[in-house]
Amino acid sequence: MKKQTSDELVFLPLGGSNEIGMNLNLYGYGPESNRQWMVVDVGVTFGDLSTPGVDVIVPDPAFLEGEKILGIVLTHAHEDHIGALGWLWARMKAPLYATPFTAYLIRDKLREAGILDQVKLIEVPLGGSVDLGPFQVTMITMTHSIAEPNGLAIKTPLGTVFHTGDWKIDDEPVVGELTDGGAISALGDEGVLAMVCDSTNVFVDGVAGSEGGVARAMTKLISGLKGRIAVGCFASNVARMDSVIRAAEASGRRVSLAGRSMHRITAAAKHVGMLSDIKPFLTDEEARVWPEDEILYLCTGSQGESRAALSRVAEGTHPVIRLGRGDHCIFSSRVIPGNELSIGRLQDKLADKGVRLYTEKDHPGIHVSGHPCRDELKQMYAWARPQISVPTHGMRRHLMEHANLARDLGIKEQVTPRNGDMVRLAPGPAAIIDEVPSGRLYVDGGMLVTEQGEALRERRHASTNGILVVSFALDSGGKIVSDIDMRAIGLPSGDERPLGDALDGLAERVEQVVNGLKPQARDDDDAVEQAVARVLKKASQQIWDRRPIVETIVLRL
């Protein structure tokens, strides 16, 4: 590629495009040979059945190593925007900028990672500005399902970019301010070169709905219930917590928090002046003896997470909460795609205990999304009036539909980058001009490993194919002088083919293949192991339609 010598303004997503979550967005300014960067958000996504043993996944920042990074600006405190800081900051080593609520939670993450004293974290007031060389960044107040969400007005010598972060339009946000349409319109009047905008709900008509409506629905529902009540919601949604707490108090109930995240978020909220006029939460000791018609448990685990409070309640292992017949569990949250099975199992276990369940499907008013639907996107484009639309934060289908919507609204240019695509925003027409290394790193066993790491590859293989372990002893002449011990993990056994019989047959094949090796090969452990693995995998394919991992232990006498 021809080297550029003139100044350029570029946008580069390394996470957050073509997926929900794991945001890592870069803005670059200057000539290609001497570009300066600012980073927006450093988030995680979470493991699933395809990543056994891996709970947390982070974007691979390899491209940034050695680059000039002026600062890292955090739009809000959701895990997919700040969750990777503890893992990745050492690879960037730039100052962090965040509003007070977000900064409080970032300190917790840095403290857990043992790097709090190494990181320069600057609190920015709501509506405040940050000067990062060619980037003059102003926080624009937004509304979302967490406290203090911010859009970023990024002014550069080549034009202004409006990075929306996660947002919605809510006339009754319960906690926090309204989305600042006036400030966004003022940007539009000055001229917005490009808008990098949330695409999560682009297929949903209308508007996301109001937290004020949820507050009224929760008050009405809770006031009519007798017995113990548990409410599962996202701990980060302070507005939802506020609504549930006030609904409980209006019904003569006191609130007990269940789950580490609930305590962490409420501490952050109180630190910035939220949740200041509510009654003290019940201690665990008080909750154990509090009258059942006068208590409400605010719980983590609405997505069926195995170690969260609601799952322990369903299993009967929670140290404080016991729910049974005549009690109630309200799920004030949406089902995140991929969590359907875990949530279904959780709800089945609660129902089996006689607990009555309430979800957004049968009580639509008890949850609303934190992301903009189509009418809100139309309003945002009417306010900002960008020349270029850059959809982000969504799967490929979301980004493409968002680009179609922007085109229908008269936006001149649309660019839909994948992670690793470098977009030139100015000068000249918007275009993808380069592709840089991108990918994922897995937090596995407390360390970062690559997507193609051997341990995870073997774990995936073992989870579907099983494991065979075979051991035997050879004398100095390469002759088997012990029993051949065969062990199987994760391989089936049935009446027609008992596992023991199958293993006996495999042992015979091992003996045949080892005895059939040439003397020189029998002296080489690697050659023996490879020959045994080949014969066992082939035989296992015939017996079980599986190709297990084979571990061969050769003892030399």
Side-chain angles (χ1 to χ4, degrees):
M1 177 176 292
K2 183 180 178 181
K3 292 288 184 183
Q4 301 293 322
T5 57
S6 60
D7 286 344
E8 290 181 320
L9 174 61
V10 300
F11 170 68
L12 173 60
L14 291 180
S17 285
N18 305 304
E19 60 196 337
I20 304 295
M22 204 178 73
N23 289 271
L24 177 59
N25 302 291
L26 317 179
Y27 290 92
Y29 187 86
E32 183 180 354
S33 59
N34 190 31
R35 195 166 278 150
Q36 301 178 84
W37 297 94
M38 66 169 281
V39 177
V40 177
D41 294 333
V42 186
V44 303
T45 191
F46 299 100
D48 55 26
L49 293 177
S50 69
T51 58
V54 172
D55 292 327
V56 175
I57 302 170
V58 304
D60 188 344
F63 169 77
L64 279 172
E65 295 181 9
E67 295 291 326
K68 186 175 182 180
I69 306 170
L70 303 176
I72 303 169
V73 184
L74 293 313
T75 61
H76 65 283
H78 273 144
E79 286 295 301
D80 57 337
H81 292 259
I82 69 167
L85 283 170
W87 295 103
L88 299 184
W89 180 84
R91 302 194 181 197
M92 304 179 195
K93 293 189 175 177
L96 307 182
Y97 299 86
T99 52
F101 178 84
T102 303
Y104 183 97
L105 293 172
I106 288 173
R107 287 190 190 95
D108 277 352
K109 293 205 165 293
L110 300 178
R111 190 177 295 111
E112 288 174 4
I115 58 173
L116 179 59
D117 60 345
Q118 302 174 38
V119 181
K120 185 178 181 181
L121 173 57
I122 298 95
E123 280 196 17
V124 183
L126 296 177
S129 296
V130 176
D131 187 351
L132 298 176
F135 307 104
Q136 281 72 53
V137 185
T138 299
M139 302 285 195
I140 305 293
T141 297
M142 309 292 276
T143 303
H144 182 43
S145 55
I146 197 170
E148 296 185 5
N150 298 278
L152 306 178
I154 305 169
K155 295 186 178 182
T156 78
L158 291 177
T160 297
V161 178
F162 181 43
H163 186 105
T164 68
D166 291 355
W167 64 279
K168 64 185 286 188
I169 298 173
D170 188 340
D171 294 334
E172 298 180 274
V174 176
V175 167
E177 304 298 324
L178 303 178
T179 292
D180 195 345
I184 300 168
S185 292
L187 283 178
D189 293 341
E190 296 173 4
V192 173
L193 172 66
M195 182 164 72
V196 178
C197 186
D198 183 357
S199 308
T200 308
N201 280 345
V202 69
F203 288 105
V204 182
D205 290 328
V207 299
S210 171
E211 283 294 333
V214 174
R216 289 186 288 274
M218 293 296 290
T219 299
K220 181 179 179 181
L221 176 57
I222 289 170
S223 66
L225 302 180
K226 299 293 183 182
R228 300 177 185 87
I229 301 173
V231 177
C233 67
F234 296 114
S236 59
N237 192 337
V238 177
R240 188 68 49 82
M241 293 173 65
D242 184 280
S243 297
V244 172
I245 293 165
R246 296 184 193 283
E249 292 184 355
S251 300
R253 293 177 181 267
R254 292 282 298 278
V255 174
S256 172
L257 300 180
R260 181 168 174 260
S261 294
M262 286 292 176
H263 290 277
R264 184 169 56 88
I265 296 294
T266 53
K270 290 185 175 185
H271 176 74
V272 297
M274 302 172 189
L275 303 178
S276 59
D277 57 344
I278 62 173
K279 295 179 181 179
F281 299 117
L282 296 176
T283 65
D284 286 353
E285 290 74 18
E286 291 171 327
R288 286 189 180 96
V289 297
W290 209 260
E292 62 184 35
D293 290 335
E294 299 176 17
I295 192 168
L296 182 144
Y297 305 103
L298 194 48
C299 303
T300 59
S302 63
Q303 299 302 301
E305 301 97 319
S306 61
R307 293 188 292 273
L310 276 181
S311 287
R312 290 189 289 155
V313 172
E315 294 285 354
T317 60
H318 195 278
V320 176
I321 305 173
R322 295 288 182 269
L323 296 184
R325 192 164 304 280
D327 296 331
H328 312 269
C329 187
I330 301 169
F331 286 79
S332 184
S333 59
R334 72 183 180 97
V335 176
I336 294 177
N339 291 344
E340 294 87 351
L341 288 176
S342 59
I343 295 173
R345 286 192 291 267
L346 167 63
Q347 293 178 349
D348 283 342
K349 290 176 182 177
L350 289 169
D352 196 43
K353 289 178 174 288
V355 178
R356 186 169 179 181
L357 307 178
Y358 306 81
T359 73
E360 62 172 335
K361 291 183 179 180
D362 49 72
H363 287 73
I366 64 175
H367 175 69
V368 293
S369 175
H371 297 271
C373 299
R374 289 182 76 89
D375 285 356
E376 291 157 286
L377 286 167
K378 292 174 183 178
Q379 179 62 74
M380 180 61 77
Y381 278 101
W383 283 334
R385 289 155 282 155
Q387 298 176 40
I388 307 165
S389 168
V390 186
T392 190
H393 201 40
M395 307 301 288
R396 192 66 187 163
R397 61 185 180 276
H398 296 88
L399 272 57
M400 299 306 293
E401 179 60 22
H402 188 154
N404 292 334
L405 175 62
R407 185 179 300 108
D408 293 343
L409 294 173
I411 306 305
K412 293 180 181 179
E413 299 177 77
Q414 308 84 37
V415 188
T416 54
R418 293 178 169 85
N419 289 332
D421 285 346
M422 186 181 295
V423 180
R424 183 189 62 220
L425 299 175
I432 295 173
I433 60 170
D434 200 356
E435 181 180 356
V436 309
S438 65
R440 296 175 159 204
L441 299 175
Y442 295 103
V443 180
D444 190 6
M447 62 187 74
L448 290 179
V449 300
T450 66
E451 287 186 84
Q452 306 305 321
E454 183 70 12
L456 184 58
R457 185 190 66 78
E458 288 186 345
R459 206 177 301 143
R460 286 184 181 129
H461 187 84
S463 69
T464 55
N465 289 275
I467 301 171
L468 280 175
V469 180
V470 54
S471 62
F472 50 87
L474 299 179
D475 64 14
S476 59
K479 181 181 178 181
I480 296 177
V481 291
S482 71
D483 290 337
I484 297 175
D485 186 30
M486 295 287 308
R487 305 289 177 90
I489 302 172
L491 291 168
S493 177
D495 292 339
E496 296 181 2
R497 184 178 288 124
L499 184 58
D501 292 349
L503 295 181
D504 288 345
L506 292 177
E508 292 177 5
R509 297 200 187 200
V510 170
E511 185 174 13
Q512 291 170 4
V513 73
V514 172
N515 289 338
L517 292 173
K518 294 180 179 179
Q520 185 177 0
R522 289 202 299 271
D523 288 338
D524 184 341
D525 285 356
D526 288 339
V528 173
E529 291 173 11
Q530 290 173 13
V532 169
R534 280 195 300 270
V535 72
L536 290 181
K537 288 184 178 183
K538 183 176 180 180
S540 297
Q541 185 76 49
Q542 296 168 346
I543 298 170
W544 297 295
D545 195 24
R546 297 283 189 274
R547 292 183 65 83
I549 291 176
V550 176
E551 180 68 22
T552 304
I553 301 171
V554 179
L555 304 174
R556 295 284 180 175
L557 301 179

